[in-house]
Amino acid sequence: MVVKSDDNKIICRCEEVSLGTIKDIVHHFHCSSREVKLRTRAGMGYCGGRICRTIIEKVVQDINNEKVSNESQLSYRPPIRPVTFGQLGGSENDDES
Amino acid sequence: MNSFDVVVIGAGIIGCSVAYHLSKTGYTVALVDKGDVASGTSSRCDAVALICDKKPGIDTEMGFTSIQLYKKLAKELSFDFEFSSRGSLYVCETDQELEIANNYVNEQAAAGYDMKMVDEKELLDIEPYLAKDLAGGIWTEVDSTMNPYLVCFAFVEEAKKYGLKLYSNHEVKAIKKRPDGSVEAVVTDKTTIHTKKIVNCAGVWAGKIGQLVGIDIPIKPRKGMVLVSEKTKPVVSQKVHEFGYMLSKFEDINYSRNVSKVVEENNIAFTIEPTEAGNFLLGGHRSFKGYDITSENRVMRGIAERALRFLPVLKDIACIRSYAGIRPWVVDHLPIVSDVEEVPGFYIASGHEGDGISMAPITGRMMTQLISNHETDFNIDRLKFSRYKKSSQII
Ligand SMILES: Cc1cc2nc3c(=O)[nH]c(=O)nc-3n(C[C@H](O)[C@H](O)[C@H](O)COP(=O)(O)OP(=O)(O)OC[C@H]3O[C@@H](n4cnc5c(N)ncnc54)[C@H](O)[C@@H]3O)c2cc1C
Ligand code: FES
């Protein structure tokens, strides 16, 4: 369970979004974790939400007191870890896949 | 009993704009979406309102007016949607492209739109990281950018002040008609909403809503993938895209670029735009894959390859994420903003393909004028749904 004194804790390190900010948004808009992401950028950072995603889901679920529908949850998207455009688009890849 | 003057189906950027303009005019409005606000294409796209990529004529007129409306909205709405007019730059790879661009700019300039040709040197003054061997380009000062899903939120927040009722997580399952064929109610998986007027703003799903009243709306999903860069130095300061984008967008222009197989096959054309947060969005890609929005490896590689051609500096910059959206495509590339003769009280505002963000304000405005039986800002006969009945080979 989430307690008040934790509000300054940073949940999304990449985008520096605090627990308090996330809680405020959910209370105000009664929204899904996907909407929290769009409104705060939590989960949109360098790590692609791999550090913060599950905590965001949990906070949102606790406050809304119900299961957030599957469709609204945060999605997994490639690349699995950051990769340079040079590696991605370089000619050495031409014959793969 | 739930009863509203108008029920708007779909809370994407088009539905949100329509709902805002109707509410502000004084109608009682329900906005219904099967998910959250902006859960469809309007949160899976790029973020620019351009005139430089429109065909001369009604396309450009609507695009231009919409940018003016965005400027007003950015001041009027209390919710910030990150609007700015940064301009945009089209780059031409070859002298042949430059020549087509020149004709196009002359045509637009004759119609009063401010677009400028720039030569290879000016190109590098404007965007120093561009490849050194490009032929030139077009610079369009009015072209603007905003955050599309924040625009949706802004419209909804503002419309609520005028009484808008939002039904999120309500999937429309049926539409009831009266004996005379006019609309009577919208049935969702959770409730029934009575109304005499319905606006179908369901984007790529508009055809499915059309089926509920027995009409055939020929909108098809056209996929597009986007790559997101890490936050980095300003590799570009505005939307930059290859003129080939234009040429790949309109099937009627016959021009083929000298590109690799993966770029050719996947209909890839270089585009990049900065975001307010400091990341860059790279595209663009077009394909018909039904409702599939998974990320495709080959397409990601093709986009990266094409981007490196124009912006070699990207070589050491990281791609942190990819996503895909589906554009509501229609065969003649003009949206449907129209009543439907066969079903009194049923309206359509969908089919904006790659221009829905750009055209949202003007669409909301003109749909409100249609519903109020007022004259519309433009003659929109060409946007009528009935255009599809006349013949199957209009274009
Ligand atoms: C990669 C990409 C880049 C793009 N870049 C740009 C750009 O830079 N500039 C530009 O102007 N345009 C751009 N576009 C196009 C733009 O994104 C679309 O035209 C626009 O988002 C369409 O908005 P919409 O409101 O019509 O549809 P959507 O945003 O898809 O909204 C439709 C809504 O209807 C809802 N719905 C569907 N069925 C039902 C049902 N049965 N019951 C209830 N609700 C339902 C959906 O949940 C959805 O929220 C781009 C598109 C893509 C894919
Ligand atoms: S910690 Fe949230 S995106 Fe990395």
Side-chain angles (χ1 to χ4, degrees), chain B residues 13 20 103 108 117 147 156 172 334:
Chain B
I13 199 156
Y20 162 76
N103 294 339
Q108 292 288 47
M117 292 304 294
N147 183 323
V156 170
V172 173
L334 281 174

Side-chain angles (χ1 to χ4, degrees), chain B residues 257-284:
Chain B
R257 298 170 294 160
N258 181 19
V259 291
S260 72
K261 211 169 133 212
V262 59
V263 170
E264 184 64 43
E265 278 174 2
N266 292 289
N267 212 356
I268 287 167
F270 165 64
T271 127
I272 184 168
E273 55 192 72
T275 67
E276 204 63 17
N279 308 80
F280 294 85
L281 304 179
L282 288 107

Side-chain angles (χ1 to χ4, degrees), chain B residues 36-317:
Chain B
D36 300 320
V37 172
S39 52
T41 306
S42 302
S43 61
R44 298 186 175 88
C45 54
D46 288 332
V48 286
L50 307 178
I51 59 164
C52 73
D53 65 343
K54 309 273 185 290
K55 284 195 162 175
I58 188 167
D59 263 24
T60 310
E61 282 176 43
M62 282 181 61
F64 183 78
T65 311
S66 234
I67 294 174
Q68 308 311 314
L69 293 174
Y70 265 125
K71 286 188 181 161
K72 270 177 68 189
L73 288 165
K75 291 196 190 111
E76 282 168 20
L77 305 191
S78 43
F79 191 96
D80 177 25
F81 54 86
E82 300 176 351
F83 178 85
S84 71
S85 293
R86 295 193 179 111
S88 83
L89 189 64
Y90 251 137
V91 291
C92 297
E93 210 182 350
T94 61
D95 289 336
Q96 193 191 352
E97 274 185 26
L98 200 62
E99 203 182 306
I100 305 177
N102 218 335
N103 294 339
Y104 169 67
V105 165
N106 287 339
E107 199 176 339
Q108 292 288 47
Y113 296 104
D114 194 10
M115 296 185 185
K116 279 192 203 74
M117 292 304 294
V118 293
D119 64 24
E120 52 200 298
K121 270 183 62 199
E122 290 165 305
L123 205 59
L124 292 171
D125 289 340
I126 305 175
E127 294 295 351
Y129 290 112
L130 280 172
K132 307 285 178 253
D133 60 343
L134 299 169
I138 307 173
W139 192 62
T140 312
E141 188 174 4
V142 294
D143 284 349
S144 301
T145 168
M146 70 287 301
N147 183 323
Y149 51 80
L150 294 185
V151 173
C152 297
F153 295 150
F155 275 136
V156 170
E157 293 308 306
E158 203 70 15
K160 278 184 177 167
K161 295 183 190 164
Y162 299 105
L164 173 76
K165 176 100 166 79
L166 175 67
Y167 290 84
S168 50
N169 299 305
H170 276 70
E171 180 164 2
V172 173
K173 294 284 195 189
I175 291 173
K176 280 194 196 156
K177 291 200 265 187
R178 284 171 223 279
D180 68 356
S182 63
V183 302
E184 182 179 7
V186 171
V187 183
T188 77
D189 52 356
K190 300 192 180 89
T191 188
T192 296
I193 311 169
H194 292 265
T195 186
K196 290 196 175 116
K197 292 193 161 80
I198 297 172
V199 191
N200 176 1
C201 303
V204 289
W205 298 275
K208 297 188 176 174
I209 301 295
Q211 281 167 11
L212 302 179
V213 294
I215 58 170
D216 180 21
I217 307 174
I219 290 178
K220 260 170 70 176
R222 193 179 201 189
K223 184 174 181 178
M225 272 203 72
V226 175
L227 307 186
V228 187
S229 85
E230 64 181 315
K231 290 183 187 180
T232 179
K233 63 187 171 197
V235 292
V236 290
S237 58
Q238 60 195 306
K239 169 93 176 183
V240 179
H241 47 171
E242 65 166 305
F243 194 61
Y245 180 80
M246 178 93 154
L247 310 182
S248 74
K249 199 164 149 180
F250 300 117
E251 292 94 348
D252 55 340
I253 299 176
N254 199 356
Y255 172 74
S256 76
R257 298 170 294 160
N258 181 19
V259 291
S260 72
K261 211 169 133 212
V262 59
V263 170
E264 184 64 43
E265 278 174 2
N266 292 289
N267 212 356
I268 287 167
F270 165 64
T271 127
I272 184 168
E273 55 192 72
T275 67
E276 204 63 17
N279 308 80
F280 294 85
L281 304 179
L282 288 107
H285 145 248
R286 284 162 196 271
S287 71
F288 292 107
K289 286 260 160 88
Y291 289 85
D292 168 51
I293 53 165
T294 55
S295 294
E296 295 166 65
N297 261 329
R298 267 184 82 73
V299 175
M300 290 176 68
R301 287 183 178 174
I303 291 175
E305 177 194 313
R306 196 64 186 150
L308 289 168
R309 156 71 186 100
F310 289 89
L311 215 52
V313 63
L314 288 168
K315 186 167 170 284
D316 298 316
I317 291 169

